[in-house]
């Protein structure tokens, strides 16, 4: 949503307002107050995963009951992975794929049926099913503007005013066997321009952001990508602590030193199964002694380590 908002502001005349209903105590009342404070016409864009469809259905019902003329739009994991099931009741449009160009074209073509039908990845009842639309690269997209985030709502510790930002260097599926264990996806893997993203992360200047956690699929981190990312951070003299999740790997002194120079503060090792045969299938098996030595090496460079097992 942050990327979508930045994209619209940079490339169109449409203004967007970010609303996180998870921070509301009385969602319906507070959401209608938001509508009352914004000059219409309105289009409500809702980000959703499949596991949250119940909450989304309640949100759609509230919006349509108070503002029947509001166009409702679904985006995110659910309409992209399951476009044939994206048009829920009270949904006017769904964005299947990278939402930025789809929503921009939809806004530009509202009321022009023939042009709407030519918008790839745009689902609506009169059109029916269409394949997801994925950009070939992320070069044309926009990175978030952190300054408009309501940081107090995301405090991890209210007495210390600490925050953790979750971000990704990529979009899509790595097709690595270990990541296939967490579920398949037809979304192609694309990577942000690392130098551009490094500068964006450096802008997380709000006091108390103790960590930027990159939750890219663990199979994303090849030796080459890890080196490129660390080099991009070192070049801008990064001061923002960050962390990542890796498959079990042998971390030698050279890699640990590189991570420390780039201000990495934590490495989370993801072990997708305790079955040794499946570990071989997922191409992520490593001897326990080797993993122990990796943890010790990272600890020597004052980098915290977590082991996360999926049993």
């Amino acid at each position: 949503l942050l990327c979508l908002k930045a994209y619209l502001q940079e490339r169109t005349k449409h203004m967007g307002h970010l609303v996180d209903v998870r921070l509301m105590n009385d969602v319906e009342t507070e959401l209608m107050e938001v509508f009352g404070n914004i000059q219409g016409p309105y289009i409500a864009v809702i980000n959703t995963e499949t596991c949250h469809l119940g909450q989304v259905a309640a949100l759609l019902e509230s919006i349509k009951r108070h503002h029947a003329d509001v166009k409702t739009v679904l985006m995110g994991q659910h309409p992209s992975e399951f476009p044939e099931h994206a048009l829920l009741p009270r949904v006017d449009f769904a964005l299947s794929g990278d939402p930025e160009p789809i929503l921009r074209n939809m806004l530009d073509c509202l009321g022009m049926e023939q042009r709407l039908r030519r918008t790839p990845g745009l689902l609506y009842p009169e059109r029916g099913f269409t394949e997801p639309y994925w950009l070939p690269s992320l070069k044309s997209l926009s990175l978030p503007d952190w300054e408009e985030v309501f940081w107090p709502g995301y405090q991890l510790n209210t007495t210390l005013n600490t925050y953790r930002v979750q971000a990704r260097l990529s979009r899509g599926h790595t097709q690595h066997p270990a990541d296939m264990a967490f579920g398949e996806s037809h979304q192609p893997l694309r990577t942000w321009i690392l130098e551009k993203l490094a500068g964006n992360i450096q802008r997380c200047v709000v006091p108390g952001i103790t960590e930027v956690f990159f939750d890219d699929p663990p199979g994303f981190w090849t030796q080459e990508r890890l080196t490129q990312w660390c080099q991009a951070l070192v070049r801008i003299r990064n001061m923002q602590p960050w962390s990542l999740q890796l498959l079990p790997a042998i971390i030698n002194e050279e890699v640990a030193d590189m991570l420390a120079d780039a201000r990495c503060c934590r490495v989370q090792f993801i072990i997708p199964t305790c079955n040794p045969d499946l570990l071989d299938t997922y191409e992520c098996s490593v001897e326990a002694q080797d993993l122990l030595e990796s943890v010790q090496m990272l600890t020597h460079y004052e980098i915290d380590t977590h082991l996360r097992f999926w049993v």
Side-chain angles (χ1 to χ4, degrees), residues 91-298:
V91 170
D92 296 304
F93 298 94
L95 316 178
S96 182
D98 289 309
E100 293 92 342
I102 306 174
L103 181 60
R104 180 192 60 189
N105 290 338
M106 187 204 93
L107 294 172
D108 290 344
C109 300
L110 274 178
M112 295 179 282
E113 175 64 21
Q114 289 186 343
R115 292 183 63 184
L116 272 182
R117 285 185 178 275
R118 292 198 295 268
T119 300
L122 180 63
L123 299 157
Y124 55 98
E126 293 79 11
R127 182 183 190 182
F129 177 78
T130 182
E131 294 287 341
Y133 172 69
W134 305 109
L135 291 166
S137 74
L138 306 181
K139 294 180 180 179
S140 63
L141 300 185
S142 304
L143 288 165
D145 183 354
W146 302 108
E147 296 175 2
E148 298 187 30
V149 177
F150 179 66
W151 292 108
Y154 302 97
Q155 291 184 24
L156 298 176
N157 186 313
T158 54
T159 58
L160 299 177
N161 292 332
T162 57
Y163 310 89
R164 176 181 296 130
V165 172
Q166 282 187 239
R168 289 188 64 169
L169 274 72
S170 66
R171 285 186 183 180
H173 200 285
T174 66
Q175 301 304 314
H176 187 286
D179 292 331
M180 301 290 275
F182 301 103
E184 297 188 36
S185 171
H186 299 296
Q187 181 180 167
L189 182 68
R190 286 85 35 84
T191 304
W192 291 97
I193 300 172
L194 296 186
E195 288 75 13
K196 187 176 179 181
L197 184 58
N200 182 265
I201 295 301
Q202 184 80 309
R203 290 169 54 206
C204 291
V205 294
V206 176
I209 296 183
T210 53
E211 177 186 3
V212 177
F213 176 63
F214 291 99
D215 62 352
D216 296 87
F220 169 80
W221 291 104
T222 63
Q223 178 70 39
E224 181 182 10
R225 287 198 183 107
L226 188 59
T227 300
Q228 290 174 345
W229 174 238
C230 289
Q231 289 175 344
L233 292 172
V234 170
R235 278 195 292 271
I236 65 167
R237 299 180 180 179
N238 174 56
M239 298 300 294
Q240 173 62 56
W242 59 281
S243 57
L244 74 165
Q245 54 184 4
L246 294 175
L247 294 171
I250 299 174
I251 304 294
N252 57 32
E253 186 171 3
E254 179 182 0
V255 173
D257 182 61
M258 177 180 67
L259 289 168
D261 284 345
R263 295 299 300 270
C264 178
C265 64
R266 180 168 64 97
V267 172
Q268 181 171 269
F269 287 112
I270 302 291
I271 300 163
T273 175
C274 294
N275 183 319
D277 294 330
L278 286 178
L279 284 173
D280 289 336
T281 301
Y282 297 150
E283 298 179 11
C284 58
S285 59
V286 64
E287 295 294 330
Q289 182 62 34
D290 292 333
L291 186 58
L292 173 61
E293 292 176 3
S294 295
V295 171
Q296 291 172 334
M297 181 61 68
L298 291 167

Side-chain angles (χ1 to χ4, degrees), residues 17-135:
H17 299 268
L18 188 67
V19 180
D20 192 339
V21 296
R22 298 173 301 177
L23 304 180
M24 296 178 174
N25 294 316
D26 184 337
V27 172
E28 183 165 340
T29 300
E30 293 180 45
L31 185 60
M32 293 311 115
E33 289 177 357
V34 171
F35 276 95
N37 294 328
I38 300 172
Q39 184 176 356
Y42 314 113
I43 292 179
V45 181
I46 303 171
N47 182 45
T48 182
E49 299 180 3
T50 303
C51 60
H52 296 148
L53 289 183
Q55 294 96 317
V56 169
L59 195 61
L60 289 165
E61 196 276 333
S62 295
I63 293 172
K64 286 293 190 179
R65 180 153 36 87
H66 291 272
H67 295 279
D69 57 331
V70 169
K71 299 294 184 184
T72 54
V73 183
L74 281 194
M75 61 163 278
Q77 177 263 338
H78 178 73
S80 296
E81 294 292 335
F82 306 104
E84 66 275 23
H85 303 297
L87 294 174
L88 307 178
R90 305 180 184 87
V91 170
D92 296 304
F93 298 94
L95 316 178
S96 182
D98 289 309
E100 293 92 342
I102 306 174
L103 181 60
R104 180 192 60 189
N105 290 338
M106 187 204 93
L107 294 172
D108 290 344
C109 300
L110 274 178
M112 295 179 282
E113 175 64 21
Q114 289 186 343
R115 292 183 63 184
L116 272 182
R117 285 185 178 275
R118 292 198 295 268
T119 300
L122 180 63
L123 299 157
Y124 55 98
E126 293 79 11
R127 182 183 190 182
F129 177 78
T130 182
E131 294 287 341
Y133 172 69
W134 305 109
L135 291 166

